[in-house]
Amino acid sequence: MANLVDVLPSQPIPAPRRPPLRLFLLGRSAVVMVTSTFGVVLFTLWITLVAISPLTVLAALILPATSLVRWYADLRRRGAQRLLGSPVRGSYRPAASTGVVARVWAIERDPASWRDAAWCLMHAVLGCVTSTLSFSLFAGGVFYLSYPFLYWVTPDKVFRQPFGDQWTLHSVGESTAVMPAALVCFALWFALVIPLARAEVSLTRSLLGARPDR
């Protein structure tokens, strides 16, 4: 009986195809919009624990909080790689081997820990702004492209004034005049989606990338 390996052609298994960059960024912008507030929560939690660490036994909670912040930062480092073309690697000082107090002290003295916390807050703001703008442009294109359908299926006085009181629509045929606005939205999205995403990941590289001082 012939060996199965000899029968089957020896061809490399093709790598799974990745979605086009702009469609990838469209989905990514939706995710960033939803998760951006998570960075504010992490920043607030970590800074609060650091502030009260000299006064309470709750200082031990800095350890799991720091692990959560670093996990989130590592997740965004990997996500930035496709746009930047090179990996963004973090660099942390070695953790203390024993003792909760020593480990907490090592974390608080590590500049990378503070950069992670600052990034959580700054990325929540910048990421939310850039992602919302990018996603809104695409959603606006879909909205105006489907305006005649919306006019047709909705009751009177709904979707009759697409740009305010200056222009009132009276028929489905008239509503097709709104559709060129979709082209404007799609064109702006196509032109801006990559620069907006790169502005966001540039912040990630600036704060989360490895540095000589760690």
Side-chain angles (χ1 to χ4, degrees):
M1 184 179 220
N3 193 323
L4 185 60
V5 176
D6 297 332
V7 173
L8 295 176
S10 57
Q11 296 180 350
I13 299 175
R17 296 181 62 184
R18 296 191 298 181
L21 180 58
R22 284 180 174 82
L23 291 182
F24 166 77
L25 293 177
L26 176 63
R28 183 179 180 277
S29 63
V31 173
V32 172
M33 282 194 306
V34 174
T35 61
S36 59
T37 55
F38 184 59
V40 178
V41 173
L42 287 180
F43 170 82
T44 305
L45 173 64
W46 195 83
I47 291 296
T48 301
L49 290 173
V50 169
I52 66 175
S53 61
L55 307 175
T56 176
V57 294
L58 294 178
L61 293 177
I62 291 178
L63 301 178
T66 300
S67 297
L68 187 58
V69 169
R70 291 183 177 180
W71 167 82
Y72 186 55
D74 285 338
L75 188 67
R76 294 304 184 190
R77 286 187 183 101
R78 293 192 296 270
Q81 181 174 347
R82 184 174 182 186
L83 271 173
L84 296 175
S86 59
V88 179
R89 296 186 176 89
S91 180
Y92 300 100
R93 292 179 178 178
S97 56
T98 57
V100 172
V101 174
R103 292 169 64 191
V104 169
W105 181 238
I107 288 172
E108 292 183 358
R109 294 181 61 193
D110 189 349
S113 298
W114 294 93
R115 287 196 295 269
D116 285 355
W119 171 85
C120 283
L121 180 61
M122 295 175 66
H123 178 266
V125 177
L126 181 61
C128 184
V129 171
T130 57
S131 297
T132 300
L133 177 57
S134 176
F135 189 85
S136 297
L137 286 172
F138 186 87
V142 174
F143 172 74
Y144 287 119
L145 189 64
S146 59
Y147 209 91
F149 175 76
L150 295 174
Y151 183 100
W152 178 54
V153 299
T154 53
D156 291 341
K157 299 183 179 180
V158 180
F159 294 113
R160 282 0 183 218
Q161 295 178 326
F163 303 113
D165 297 338
Q166 293 79 12
W167 185 19
T168 301
L169 302 174
H170 301 93
S171 67
V172 174
E174 286 186 9
S175 68
T176 59
V178 179
M179 296 176 69
L183 298 179
V184 176
C185 290
F186 283 135
L188 288 173
W189 171 79
F190 190 87
L192 295 177
V193 58
I194 293 179
L196 287 172
R198 282 180 175 163
E200 176 204 333
V201 298
S202 293
L203 175 69
T204 298
R205 178 171 56 187
S206 175
L207 287 177
L208 301 185
R211 296 187 181 186
D213 64 351
R214 294 184 178 179

